[in-house]
Amino acid sequence: MEFASHMDRALHQARLAAGRGEVPVGAVLIAPDGSVLSEAGNRTRESCDPTAHAEILAIREACALLGQERLAGHDLYVTLEPCPMCAAAISFARIRRLYYGAADPKSGGVAHGARVFTHPQCHHAPEVYDGLAEAESAALLRAFFEARRG
Amino acid sequence: MEFASHMDRALHQARLAAGRGEVPVGAVLIAPDGSVLSEAGNRTRESCDPTAHAEILAIREACALLGQERLAGHDLYVTLEPCPMCAAAISFARIRRLYYGAADPKSGGVAHGARVFTHPQCHHAPEVYDGLAEAESAALLRAFFEARRG
């Protein structure tokens, strides 16, 4: 499958997550040479693991592949604003740039709520670029939650 | 090995972590009937996983054992104030009570910095009891970092 952009690829992971009955969020980790190192969608239900958010799974897989705890020079694309758990993991992994789609006023932890990257206790903050493919990312989530309520 | 308290058990896990060259933090998850469901120390280095904090490992193991994403009625004992990543995971897992030892002004996310449980974006906050076995918990960390600097 060809993707026009890394965010398209993350959206694909979000759609796959929706197909598994998971909250449709997708993430893609890009190596310094521009190649895709890992990609994931949410799997909290399937894995019975409240930490199995797309970002955490992509980071864990990338670190395992490289045999290291840190991903300096790597960039992360996510369809939704990361929650505080994922924002802190992004910081620990020393991710260089974070690109995300839809804002998450209800559960986000980057531009909302805990604003994890803004405190002195956050020892590394990535460059943050928001609003990429925002409409598609938000539409996926809206459709998922509407279907569950229906 | 007999432990006088759940926090003693968490301290034992922290000492085991130190022995592996990991930051000495330990966590123990207690089921509603008072039994130990899971216990862990940090393994970020060994596992090449920046998310492998004691709390995350204990929560993931407990959820896997029970086959569920949530641990309502369960209590977590940790030797150190959780970081924002672990605090958010504790919230997602619906942990009932959080007991912790030493405060962590440099990296904590409960009483310091992001203060994850204090925002409306945090949909569940545990009851928090701090300062248990504070001196032992802090001494372990101090010895570890002094040895590394030494």
Side-chain angles (χ1 to χ4, degrees):
Chain A
M1 192 151 181
E2 283 287 329
F3 295 101
S5 71
H6 297 320
M7 191 52 92
D8 284 338
R9 201 170 181 114
L11 280 164
H12 179 64
Q13 286 294 327
R15 286 187 201 100
L16 292 176
R20 296 189 300 266
E22 304 276 353
V23 177
V25 179
V28 175
L29 239 166
I30 305 299
D33 69 0
S35 63
V36 174
L37 182 56
S38 63
E39 55 192 324
N42 273 15
R43 287 192 186 267
T44 63
R45 284 158 205 212
E46 181 186 286
S47 309
C48 295
D49 178 357
T51 75
H53 286 193
E55 303 94 311
I56 299 280
L57 295 179
I59 288 171
R60 297 184 66 209
E61 187 185 341
C63 288
L65 284 168
L66 298 179
Q68 59 192 45
E69 275 182 78
R70 293 182 178 180
L71 300 167
H74 290 65
D75 301 331
L76 185 68
Y77 289 76
V78 198
T79 58
L80 184 68
E81 177 186 343
C83 75
M85 176 179 74
C86 293
I90 287 165
S91 172
F92 290 137
R94 303 292 191 268
I95 299 280
R96 179 176 55 180
R97 298 190 191 107
L98 165 65
Y99 299 89
Y100 70 80
D104 189 357
K106 277 194 187 166
S107 305
V110 175
H112 298 90
R115 290 180 172 79
V116 165
F117 301 137
T118 65
H119 306 279
Q121 284 81 358
C122 178
H123 305 301
H124 165 84
E127 296 171 34
V128 177
Y129 303 90
D130 61 353
L132 274 84
E134 192 172 1
E136 297 96 307
S137 300
L140 265 175
L141 285 155
R142 210 162 38 235
F144 178 79
F145 285 110
E146 276 171 12
R148 286 186 64 191
R149 273 196 298 272
Chain B
M1 191 152 183
E2 284 286 329
F3 296 100
S5 71
H6 297 320
M7 192 53 92
D8 284 338
R9 199 167 183 117
L11 279 164
H12 178 64
Q13 286 294 327
R15 284 187 201 101
L16 293 175
R20 295 190 298 267
E22 304 274 355
V23 176
V25 179
V28 175
L29 239 165
I30 305 298
D33 69 0
S35 63
V36 175
L37 183 56
S38 63
E39 55 192 323
N42 272 15
R43 286 189 187 269
T44 64
R45 283 156 206 213
E46 181 187 285
S47 308
C48 294
D49 178 358
T51 75
H53 287 193
E55 303 94 309
I56 298 280
L57 296 178
I59 288 171
R60 293 183 68 208
E61 188 185 342
C63 287
L65 284 168
L66 298 179
Q68 58 192 46
E69 275 181 77
R70 295 184 176 177
L71 300 168
H74 290 65
D75 300 332
L76 185 69
Y77 290 77
V78 198
T79 58
L80 184 67
E81 177 186 344
C83 76
M85 176 179 75
C86 293
I90 287 165
S91 172
F92 289 139
R94 303 291 190 273
I95 300 279
R96 177 176 57 180
R97 297 190 192 105
L98 165 64
Y99 299 88
Y100 70 80
D104 189 357
K106 277 194 187 166
S107 306
V110 174
H112 299 89
R115 291 179 170 79
V116 165
F117 301 137
T118 65
H119 306 279
Q121 284 81 359
C122 179
H123 305 302
H124 166 86
E127 294 171 35
V128 177
Y129 303 89
D130 61 353
L132 274 83
E134 192 172 1
E136 297 97 306
S137 300
L140 265 175
L141 284 155
R142 210 162 38 235
F144 178 79
F145 286 109
E146 276 170 12
R148 287 185 64 190
R149 271 196 299 271

